[in-house]
Coordinates of all heavy atoms in Angstrom, one line a residue:
P1 N 44.1 -25.9 32.9 CA 43.2 -26.7 32.0 C 41.8 -26.6 32.4 O 41.4 -26.6 33.5 CB 43.7 -28.1 32.3 CG 44.5 -28.1 33.5 CD 44.9 -26.7 33.8
T2 N 41.0 -26.4 31.4 CA 39.5 -26.3 31.6 C 38.9 -27.7 31.6 O 39.3 -28.6 30.9 CB 38.8 -25.5 30.5 OG1 39.1 -26.1 29.2 CG2 39.4 -24.1 30.5
S3 N 37.9 -27.8 32.4 CA 37.2 -29.1 32.5 C 36.2 -29.3 31.4 O 35.8 -28.3 30.7 CB 36.5 -29.3 33.8 OG 35.5 -28.3 33.9
A4 N 35.8 -30.5 31.1 CA 34.8 -30.8 30.0 C 33.5 -30.1 30.2 O 32.9 -29.5 29.3 CB 34.7 -32.3 29.9
P5 N 32.9 -30.1 31.5 CA 31.6 -29.4 31.6 C 31.8 -27.9 31.4 O 30.8 -27.3 30.8 CB 31.3 -29.7 33.1 CG 32.0 -30.9 33.5 CD 33.3 -30.9 32.7
A6 N 32.9 -27.3 31.7 CA 33.0 -25.9 31.5 C 33.1 -25.6 30.0 O 32.5 -24.6 29.5 CB 34.3 -25.3 32.2
A7 N 33.8 -26.4 29.2 CA 33.9 -26.3 27.8 C 32.5 -26.4 27.1 O 32.2 -25.7 26.2 CB 34.9 -27.3 27.2
I8 N 31.7 -27.4 27.6 CA 30.4 -27.5 27.1 C 29.5 -26.3 27.4 O 28.8 -25.8 26.5 CB 29.7 -28.8 27.6 CG1 30.5 -30.1 27.1 CG2 28.3 -28.9 27.3 CD1 30.1 -31.4 27.8
F9 N 29.7 -25.8 28.6 CA 28.9 -24.6 29.0 C 29.2 -23.4 28.1 O 28.4 -22.7 27.6 CB 29.1 -24.3 30.4 CG 28.5 -22.9 30.8 CD1 27.2 -22.8 31.1 CD2 29.3 -21.8 31.0 CE1 26.6 -21.6 31.4 CE2 28.8 -20.6 31.3 CZ 27.4 -20.5 31.5
F10 N 30.5 -23.2 27.9 CA 30.9 -22.0 27.0 C 30.5 -22.2 25.6 O 30.2 -21.3 24.9 CB 32.4 -21.8 27.2 CG 32.8 -21.2 28.5 CD1 33.7 -21.8 29.4 CD2 32.3 -20.0 28.9 CE1 34.0 -21.3 30.6 CE2 32.6 -19.4 30.1 CZ 33.5 -20.1 30.9
A11 N 30.5 -23.5 25.1 CA 30.1 -23.7 23.7 C 28.6 -23.4 23.6 O 28.1 -22.8 22.6 CB 30.4 -25.1 23.3
K12 N 27.8 -23.9 24.5 CA 26.3 -23.6 24.5 C 26.1 -22.1 24.7 O 25.2 -21.5 24.0 CB 25.6 -24.4 25.6 CG 25.5 -25.8 25.3 CD 24.7 -26.5 26.4 CE 24.6 -28.0 26.1 NZ 23.9 -28.7 27.1
F13 N 26.9 -21.4 25.6 CA 26.7 -20.0 25.8 C 27.0 -19.2 24.5 O 26.3 -18.3 24.2 CB 27.5 -19.5 26.9 CG 27.4 -18.1 27.3 CD1 26.2 -17.6 27.9 CD2 28.4 -17.2 26.9 CE1 26.1 -16.3 28.2 CE2 28.2 -15.8 27.2 CZ 27.1 -15.4 27.8
A14 N 28.0 -19.6 23.8 CA 28.4 -18.9 22.6 C 27.3 -19.1 21.5 O 27.0 -18.2 20.8 CB 29.7 -19.5 22.1
R15 N 26.7 -20.3 21.4 CA 25.7 -20.6 20.4 C 24.4 -19.7 20.8 O 23.8 -19.2 20.0 CB 25.3 -22.0 20.4 CG 24.5 -22.4 19.3 CD 24.2 -23.9 19.2 NE 25.3 -24.7 19.5 CZ 25.2 -25.8 20.3 NH1 24.1 -26.2 20.7 NH2 26.3 -26.5 20.6
F16 N 24.1 -19.6 22.1 CA 23.0 -18.9 22.6 C 23.2 -17.4 22.3 O 22.3 -16.7 21.9 CB 22.9 -19.1 24.1 CG 21.8 -18.3 24.8 CD1 20.4 -18.6 24.6 CD2 22.1 -17.1 25.5 CE1 19.5 -17.8 25.2 CE2 21.1 -16.4 26.1 CZ 19.8 -16.7 25.9
T17 N 24.4 -16.9 22.5 CA 24.7 -15.5 22.2 C 24.5 -15.2 20.7 O 24.0 -14.1 20.4 CB 26.2 -15.2 22.6 OG1 26.3 -15.5 24.0 CG2 26.5 -13.7 22.4
V18 N 25.0 -16.0 19.8 CA 24.8 -15.8 18.4 C 23.3 -15.8 18.0 O 22.8 -15.0 17.3 CB 25.6 -16.9 17.6 CG1 25.2 -16.8 16.1 CG2 27.1 -16.7 17.8
T19 N 22.6 -16.7 18.6 CA 21.1 -16.8 18.4 C 20.4 -15.6 18.8 O 19.6 -15.0 18.1 CB 20.5 -18.0 19.1 OG1 21.2 -19.2 18.7 CG2 19.0 -18.2 18.8
M20 N 20.8 -15.1 20.0 CA 20.2 -13.8 20.5 C 20.5 -12.6 19.7 O 19.7 -11.7 19.5 CB 20.6 -13.6 22.0 CG 20.0 -14.6 23.0 SD 18.2 -14.6 22.9 CE 17.8 -13.0 23.5
K21 N 21.7 -12.6 19.1 CA 22.1 -11.5 18.2 C 21.3 -11.5 17.0 O 20.9 -10.5 16.5 CB 23.6 -11.5 17.9 CG 24.5 -11.1 19.1 CD 26.0 -11.2 18.7 CE 26.9 -10.8 19.8 NZ 28.3 -10.9 19.5
I22 N 21.1 -12.7 16.4 CA 20.2 -12.8 15.2 C 18.8 -12.4 15.5 O 18.2 -11.7 14.7 CB 20.3 -14.3 14.7 CG1 21.7 -14.6 14.1 CG2 19.2 -14.5 13.6 CD1 21.9 -16.1 13.8
I23 N 18.3 -12.8 16.6 CA 16.9 -12.4 17.0 C 16.8 -10.9 17.2 O 15.9 -10.3 16.7 CB 16.4 -13.2 18.3 CG1 16.3 -14.7 17.9 CG2 15.2 -12.6 18.8 CD1 16.0 -15.5 19.1
A24 N 17.8 -10.3 17.9 CA 17.8 -8.9 18.1 C 17.9 -8.1 16.8 O 17.2 -7.1 16.5 CB 18.9 -8.5 19.0
F25 N 18.7 -8.6 15.9 CA 18.9 -7.9 14.6 C 17.6 -8.1 13.8 O 17.1 -7.1 13.1 CB 20.0 -8.5 13.8 CG 20.2 -7.9 12.4 CD1 20.8 -6.7 12.3 CD2 19.9 -8.6 11.3 CE1 20.9 -6.1 11.0 CE2 20.0 -8.1 10.0 CZ 20.5 -6.8 9.9
S26 N 16.9 -9.2 13.8 CA 15.6 -9.4 13.1 C 14.6 -8.5 13.6 O 13.8 -7.9 12.9 CB 15.2 -10.9 13.2 OG 16.1 -11.7 12.7
A27 N 14.5 -8.3 15.0 CA 13.6 -7.4 15.6 C 13.8 -6.0 15.2 O 12.9 -5.2 14.9 CB 13.6 -7.6 17.1
L28 N 15.1 -5.6 15.1 CA 15.4 -4.2 14.6 C 15.0 -4.0 13.2 O 14.4 -3.0 12.9 CB 16.9 -4.0 14.8 CG 17.5 -2.7 14.3 CD1 17.0 -1.6 15.3 CD2 19.0 -2.7 14.3
V29 N 15.2 -5.0 12.3 CA 14.8 -4.8 10.9 C 13.3 -4.8 10.8 O 12.8 -3.9 10.0 CB 15.4 -6.0 10.1 CG1 14.8 -6.0 8.7 CG2 16.9 -5.8 10.0
A30 N 12.6 -5.6 11.5 CA 11.2 -5.6 11.5 C 10.6 -4.3 12.0 O 9.6 -3.8 11.4 CB 10.6 -6.8 12.2
G31 N 11.2 -3.8 13.0 CA 10.7 -2.5 13.6 C 10.9 -1.4 12.6 O 10.0 -0.5 12.5
A32 N 12.0 -1.4 12.0 CA 12.3 -0.3 11.0 C 11.4 -0.4 9.8 O 10.9 0.6 9.3 CB 13.8 -0.4 10.5
A33 N 11.1 -1.7 9.4 CA 10.2 -1.8 8.2 C 8.7 -1.4 8.6 O 8.0 -1.0 7.7 CB 10.2 -3.3 7.8
A34 N 8.3 -1.6 9.8 CA 7.0 -1.3 10.3 C 6.7 0.2 10.2 O 5.6 0.6 9.9 CB 6.7 -1.8 11.7
F35 N 7.7 1.0 10.4 CA 7.5 2.5 10.4 C 8.1 3.1 9.2 O 8.2 4.4 9.1 CB 8.2 3.1 11.7 CG 7.5 2.6 12.9 CD1 8.0 1.6 13.7 CD2 6.3 3.2 13.3 CE1 7.4 1.2 14.9 CE2 5.6 2.8 14.4 CZ 6.2 1.8 15.2
S36 N 8.4 2.4 8.1 CA 8.9 3.0 6.9 C 7.7 3.5 6.1 O 6.6 3.0 6.2 CB 9.7 2.0 6.1 OG 8.9 1.0 5.7
P37 N 7.9 4.5 5.3 CA 6.8 5.0 4.5 C 6.3 4.0 3.4 O 7.1 3.2 2.9 CB 7.3 6.3 3.8 CG 8.8 6.1 3.8 CD 9.1 5.3 5.0
Q38 N 5.0 4.1 3.2 CA 4.4 3.2 2.2 C 4.8 3.7 0.8 O 5.0 4.9 0.6 CB 2.9 3.2 2.3 CG 2.4 2.6 3.6 CD 2.1 1.2 3.5 OE1 1.8 0.7 2.4 NE2 2.2 0.5 4.6
L39 N 4.8 2.7 -0.2 CA 5.1 3.1 -1.5 C 3.8 3.8 -2.1 O 2.7 3.4 -1.7 CB 5.4 1.9 -2.4 CG 6.7 1.2 -2.0 CD1 6.9 -0.1 -2.8 CD2 7.9 2.1 -2.2
A40 N 4.0 4.7 -3.0 CA 2.9 5.4 -3.6 C 2.1 4.4 -4.5 O 2.6 3.6 -5.2 CB 3.4 6.5 -4.5
G41 N 0.7 4.5 -4.4 CA -0.2 3.7 -5.1 C -0.1 4.0 -6.6 O 0.1 5.1 -7.0
R42 N -0.4 3.1 -7.4 CA -0.5 3.3 -8.9 C -1.9 3.7 -9.3 O -2.8 3.3 -8.7 CB 0.0 2.0 -9.6 CG 1.4 1.6 -9.3 CD 1.8 0.5 -10.2 NE 3.1 0.0 -9.9 CZ 4.2 0.5 -10.3 NH1 4.2 1.5 -11.1 NH2 5.4 0.0 -9.9
I43 N -1.9 4.5 -10.3 CA -3.2 4.9 -10.9 C -3.8 3.7 -11.7 O -3.1 3.1 -12.4 CB -3.0 6.1 -11.8 CG1 -2.5 7.3 -11.0 CG2 -4.3 6.5 -12.5 CD1 -2.1 8.5 -11.8
S44 N -5.1 3.5 -11.4 CA -5.8 2.4 -12.1 C -5.9 2.7 -13.6 O -6.2 3.8 -14.0 CB -7.1 2.2 -11.5 OG -7.8 1.2 -12.2
T45 N -5.7 1.7 -14.4 CA -5.9 1.8 -15.8 C -7.0 0.9 -16.3 O -7.1 0.6 -17.5 CB -4.6 1.3 -16.6 OG1 -4.3 0.0 -16.2 CG2 -3.4 2.2 -16.2
A46 N -7.9 0.6 -15.4 CA -9.1 -0.2 -15.7 C -10.0 0.5 -16.6 O -10.2 1.7 -16.5 CB -9.8 -0.7 -14.5
V47 N -10.6 -0.2 -17.6 CA -11.6 0.4 -18.5 C -12.9 -0.2 -18.3 O -13.0 -1.4 -18.1 CB -11.1 0.2 -20.0 CG1 -12.1 0.7 -21.0 CG2 -9.7 0.8 -20.2
Y48 N -14.0 0.6 -18.3 CA -15.3 0.1 -18.1 C -15.8 -0.5 -19.4 O -15.9 0.2 -20.4 CB -16.3 1.2 -17.7 CG -17.7 0.8 -17.5 CD1 -18.0 -0.1 -16.4 CD2 -18.7 1.1 -18.4 CE1 -19.3 -0.5 -16.2 CE2 -20.0 0.7 -18.2 CZ -20.3 -0.1 -17.1 OH -21.5 -0.6 -16.9
N49 N -16.1 -1.8 -19.4 CA -16.5 -2.5 -20.6 C -17.9 -3.1 -20.5 O -18.2 -4.2 -20.8 CB -15.5 -3.7 -20.9 CG -14.1 -3.3 -21.3 OD1 -14.0 -2.2 -21.9 ND2 -13.1 -4.0 -20.9
G50 N -18.8 -2.3 -20.0 CA -20.2 -2.7 -19.9 C -20.5 -3.2 -18.5 O -19.7 -3.2 -17.6
A51 N -21.7 -3.8 -18.4 CA -22.1 -4.3 -17.1 C -21.3 -5.5 -16.7 O -20.9 -6.3 -17.5 CB -23.6 -4.7 -17.2
H52 N -21.0 -5.5 -15.4 CA -20.2 -6.6 -14.8 C -21.1 -7.6 -14.2 O -22.0 -7.2 -13.5 CB -19.2 -6.0 -13.8 CG -18.5 -7.1 -13.0 ND1 -17.5 -7.8 -13.6 CD2 -18.7 -7.5 -11.7 CE1 -17.1 -8.7 -12.7 NE2 -17.8 -8.5 -11.5
V53 N -20.9 -8.9 -14.5 CA -21.7 -9.9 -13.9 C -20.8 -10.6 -12.8 O -19.8 -11.1 -13.2 CB -22.2 -10.9 -14.9 CG1 -23.0 -12.0 -14.2 CG2 -23.1 -10.3 -15.9
G54 N -21.3 -10.5 -11.6 CA -20.5 -11.0 -10.5 C -20.5 -12.5 -10.4 O -21.1 -13.2 -11.2
S55 N -19.8 -13.1 -9.4 CA -19.7 -14.5 -9.2 C -21.1 -15.1 -8.9 O -21.3 -16.3 -9.2 CB -18.7 -14.8 -8.1 OG -19.1 -14.3 -6.9
G56 N -22.0 -14.4 -8.3 CA -23.3 -14.9 -8.1 C -24.2 -14.9 -9.3 O -25.4 -15.3 -9.2
G57 N -23.8 -14.4 -10.4 CA -24.6 -14.4 -11.6 C -25.5 -13.1 -11.7 O -26.3 -13.0 -12.6
M58 N -25.3 -12.2 -10.7 CA -26.1 -11.0 -10.8 C -25.4 -9.8 -11.5 O -24.2 -9.7 -11.3 CB -26.5 -10.6 -9.4 CG -27.4 -11.6 -8.7 SD -28.0 -11.0 -7.1 CE -29.1 -9.7 -7.6
A59 N -26.2 -9.0 -12.2 CA -25.5 -7.9 -12.9 C -25.2 -6.8 -11.9 O -25.8 -6.7 -10.8 CB -26.5 -7.3 -13.9
D60 N -24.2 -6.1 -12.2 CA -23.7 -5.0 -11.3 C -24.9 -3.9 -11.2 O -25.4 -3.5 -12.2 CB -22.5 -4.3 -12.0 CG -21.8 -3.4 -11.0 OD1 -22.4 -3.1 -9.9 OD2 -20.7 -3.0 -11.4
T61 N -25.2 -3.6 -10.0 CA -26.3 -2.6 -9.8 C -26.0 -1.2 -10.1 O -26.8 -0.3 -10.1 CB -26.9 -2.8 -8.4 OG1 -25.8 -2.5 -7.5 CG2 -27.5 -4.1 -8.1
R62 N -24.7 -0.9 -10.4 CA -24.3 0.5 -10.8 C -24.8 0.7 -12.2 O -24.8 1.9 -12.6 CB -22.8 0.6 -10.7 CG -22.4 0.7 -9.2 CD -20.9 0.8 -9.2 NE -20.3 -0.5 -9.6 CZ -19.0 -0.7 -9.7 NH1 -18.2 0.2 -9.3 NH2 -18.6 -1.9 -10.1
N63 N -25.2 -0.3 -13.0 CA -25.7 -0.1 -14.3 C -27.1 0.3 -14.2 O -28.0 -0.4 -13.7 CB -25.6 -1.4 -15.1 CG -26.0 -1.3 -16.5 OD1 -26.4 -0.2 -17.0 ND2 -25.9 -2.4 -17.3
P64 N -27.5 1.6 -14.7 CA -28.8 2.0 -14.5 C -29.9 1.4 -15.4 O -31.1 1.5 -15.2 CB -28.7 3.5 -14.8 CG -27.5 3.6 -15.7 CD -26.6 2.5 -15.3
D65 N -29.4 0.6 -16.4 CA -30.4 0.0 -17.3 C -31.0 -1.2 -16.7 O -30.4 -1.9 -15.9 CB -29.6 -0.5 -18.6 CG -29.0 0.6 -19.4 OD1 -29.5 1.8 -19.3 OD2 -28.0 0.4 -20.1
A66 N -32.3 -1.4 -17.0 CA -33.0 -2.6 -16.4 C -32.4 -3.8 -17.0 O -31.9 -3.9 -18.1 CB -34.5 -2.4 -16.8
F67 N -32.5 -4.9 -16.2 CA -32.0 -6.2 -16.6 C -33.0 -7.2 -16.3 O -33.4 -7.4 -15.2 CB -30.7 -6.5 -15.9 CG -30.1 -7.9 -16.1 CD1 -29.5 -8.1 -17.3 CD2 -30.2 -8.9 -15.2 CE1 -28.9 -9.4 -17.6 CE2 -29.7 -10.1 -15.4 CZ -29.0 -10.4 -16.6
E68 N -33.5 -7.9 -17.3 CA -34.6 -8.9 -17.2 C -33.9 -10.3 -17.3 O -33.3 -10.6 -18.3 CB -35.6 -8.7 -18.3 CG -37.0 -9.2 -18.0 CD -37.6 -8.7 -16.7 OE1 -37.5 -7.4 -16.5 OE2 -38.1 -9.5 -16.0
H69 N -34.1 -11.1 -16.3 CA -33.5 -12.4 -16.2 C -34.6 -13.4 -16.1 O -35.7 -13.1 -15.6 CB -32.5 -12.5 -15.0 CG -31.6 -13.7 -15.1 ND1 -32.0 -15.0 -14.5 CD2 -30.4 -13.9 -15.6 CE1 -31.0 -15.8 -14.7 NE2 -30.0 -15.2 -15.4
E70 N -34.4 -14.7 -16.5 CA -35.4 -15.7 -16.5 C -35.8 -16.0 -15.0 O -36.9 -16.4 -14.7 CB -35.0 -17.0 -17.2 CG -33.7 -17.6 -16.6 CD -33.1 -18.7 -17.5 OE1 -33.3 -18.6 -18.7 OE2 -32.5 -19.6 -16.9
D71 N -34.8 -15.8 -14.1 CA -35.1 -16.0 -12.7 C -35.4 -14.6 -12.1 O -34.6 -13.7 -12.2 CB -33.9 -16.5 -12.0 CG -34.1 -16.8 -10.5 OD1 -35.2 -16.5 -10.0 OD2 -33.2 -17.3 -9.8
P72 N -36.6 -14.3 -11.7 CA -37.0 -13.0 -11.3 C -36.2 -12.4 -10.1 O -36.0 -11.2 -10.0 CB -38.5 -13.1 -10.9 CG -38.8 -14.5 -10.8 CD -37.7 -15.3 -11.6
R73 N -35.6 -13.3 -9.3 CA -34.7 -12.8 -8.2 C -33.5 -12.1 -8.7 O -32.8 -11.4 -8.0 CB -34.4 -14.0 -7.3 CG -35.6 -14.6 -6.6 CD -35.2 -15.8 -5.8 NE -34.7 -16.8 -6.7 CZ -34.2 -18.0 -6.4 NH1 -34.1 -18.2 -5.1 NH2 -33.8 -18.8 -7.3
K74 N -33.0 -12.5 -9.9 CA -31.8 -11.9 -10.5 C -32.1 -10.7 -11.4 O -31.2 -10.1 -12.0 CB -31.1 -13.0 -11.3 CG -30.5 -14.1 -10.4 CD -29.8 -15.1 -11.2 CE -29.2 -16.2 -10.4 NZ -28.5 -17.2 -11.2
S75 N -33.4 -10.3 -11.6 CA -33.7 -9.2 -12.4 C -33.5 -7.9 -11.7 O -33.6 -7.8 -10.5 CB -35.2 -9.3 -12.9 OG -35.4 -10.4 -13.7
I76 N -33.2 -6.8 -12.5 CA -33.1 -5.5 -11.9 C -34.1 -4.6 -12.6 O -34.1 -4.5 -13.8 CB -31.6 -4.9 -12.2 CG1 -30.6 -5.8 -11.5 CG2 -31.5 -3.5 -11.7 CD1 -29.2 -5.4 -11.9
S77 N -35.0 -4.1 -11.8 CA -36.1 -3.2 -12.4 C -35.5 -1.9 -12.7 O -34.5 -1.4 -12.2 CB -37.2 -3.1 -11.4 OG -36.8 -2.5 -10.2
A78 N -36.3 -1.1 -13.5 CA -35.8 0.2 -13.9 C -36.0 1.1 -12.7 O -36.9 1.0 -11.9 CB -36.7 0.7 -15.0
A79 N -35.0 2.0 -12.5 CA -34.9 2.9 -11.4 C -35.9 4.0 -11.6 O -36.1 4.5 -12.8 CB -33.5 3.4 -11.2
P80 N -36.6 4.5 -10.6 CA -37.5 5.6 -10.7 C -36.7 6.9 -11.0 O -35.5 7.0 -10.6 CB -38.2 5.7 -9.4 CG -37.3 5.1 -8.4 CD -36.6 4.0 -9.2
S81 N -37.3 7.9 -11.6 CA -36.7 9.2 -11.8 C -36.5 9.9 -10.5 O -37.1 9.5 -9.5 CB -37.5 10.0 -12.8 OG -38.7 10.4 -12.2
F82 N -35.8 10.9 -10.4 CA -35.5 11.6 -9.2 C -36.8 12.2 -8.7 O -37.1 12.2 -7.5 CB -34.5 12.7 -9.4 CG -34.1 13.4 -8.1 CD1 -33.4 12.7 -7.1 CD2 -34.3 14.7 -7.9 CE1 -33.1 13.3 -5.9 CE2 -34.0 15.3 -6.7 CZ -33.3 14.6 -5.7
E83 N -37.7 12.7 -9.6 CA -38.9 13.3 -9.2 C -39.9 12.3 -8.6 O -40.5 12.5 -7.6 CB -39.6 14.0 -10.4 CG -39.0 15.3 -10.9 CD -37.8 15.0 -11.8 OE1 -37.7 13.8 -12.3 OE2 -36.9 15.9 -12.0
E84 N -39.9 11.1 -9.2 CA -40.7 10.0 -8.7 C -40.2 9.6 -7.3 O -41.0 9.3 -6.4 CB -40.7 8.8 -9.6 CG -41.4 9.1 -10.9 CD -41.2 7.9 -11.9 OE1 -40.3 7.1 -11.7 OE2 -41.9 7.9 -12.9
Y85 N -38.9 9.6 -7.1 CA -38.3 9.2 -5.8 C -38.8 10.2 -4.8 O -39.1 9.9 -3.6 CB -36.8 9.2 -5.9 CG -36.1 9.1 -4.6 CD1 -36.1 8.0 -3.8 CD2 -35.4 10.2 -4.2 CE1 -35.5 7.9 -2.6 CE2 -34.7 10.2 -3.0 CZ -34.8 9.0 -2.2 OH -34.1 9.0 -1.0
L86 N -38.7 11.5 -5.1 CA -39.1 12.6 -4.1 C -40.6 12.5 -3.8 O -40.9 12.6 -2.6 CB -38.8 13.9 -4.6 CG -37.3 14.3 -4.7 CD1 -37.1 15.7 -5.3 CD2 -36.7 14.3 -3.3
K87 N -41.4 12.2 -4.8 CA -42.8 12.0 -4.5 C -43.1 10.8 -3.6 O -43.9 10.9 -2.7 CB -43.6 11.8 -5.8 CG -43.7 13.1 -6.6 CD -44.5 12.9 -7.9 CE -44.5 14.1 -8.8 NZ -45.2 13.8 -10.1
S88 N -42.4 9.7 -3.8 CA -42.6 8.6 -2.9 C -42.1 8.8 -1.5 O -42.7 8.2 -0.6 CB -41.9 7.3 -3.5 OG -40.5 7.5 -3.4
R89 N -41.1 9.7 -1.3 CA -40.7 10.0 0.0 C -41.7 10.9 0.8 O -41.8 10.8 2.0 CB -39.3 10.7 0.0 CG -38.2 9.7 -0.3 CD -36.9 10.2 0.1 NE -36.9 10.8 1.4 CZ -35.9 10.9 2.1 NH1 -34.7 10.4 1.7 NH2 -35.9 11.5 3.3
Q90 N -42.4 11.7 0.0 CA -43.3 12.6 0.7 C -44.6 11.9 1.0 O -45.3 12.3 1.9 CB -43.6 13.8 -0.3 CG -42.5 14.8 -0.4 CD -42.8 15.8 -1.5 OE1 -43.8 15.8 -2.1 NE2 -41.8 16.8 -1.6
A91 N -44.9 10.9 0.4 CA -46.2 10.2 0.6 C -46.2 9.3 1.9 O -45.3 9.1 2.5 CB -46.5 9.2 -0.6

């Protein structure tokens, strides 16, 4: 006959063993997922629909056209030509 403390010990040990098996299996799955190849990225289907105004209210600076705003800090001046740019660098 087994004593009550021994039965409690074996019940706790069995629960601990199952928990450790679940943890080991989870670690194995996570490790395999970490080194699996990434899925191929999709090609963007975005269409350019004019100047983009960002969350700060400023026009996208990739737009080469000048933008005149009532607040001068938000205005975009006309870009110099390439020749003017080279002349300013030599001066």
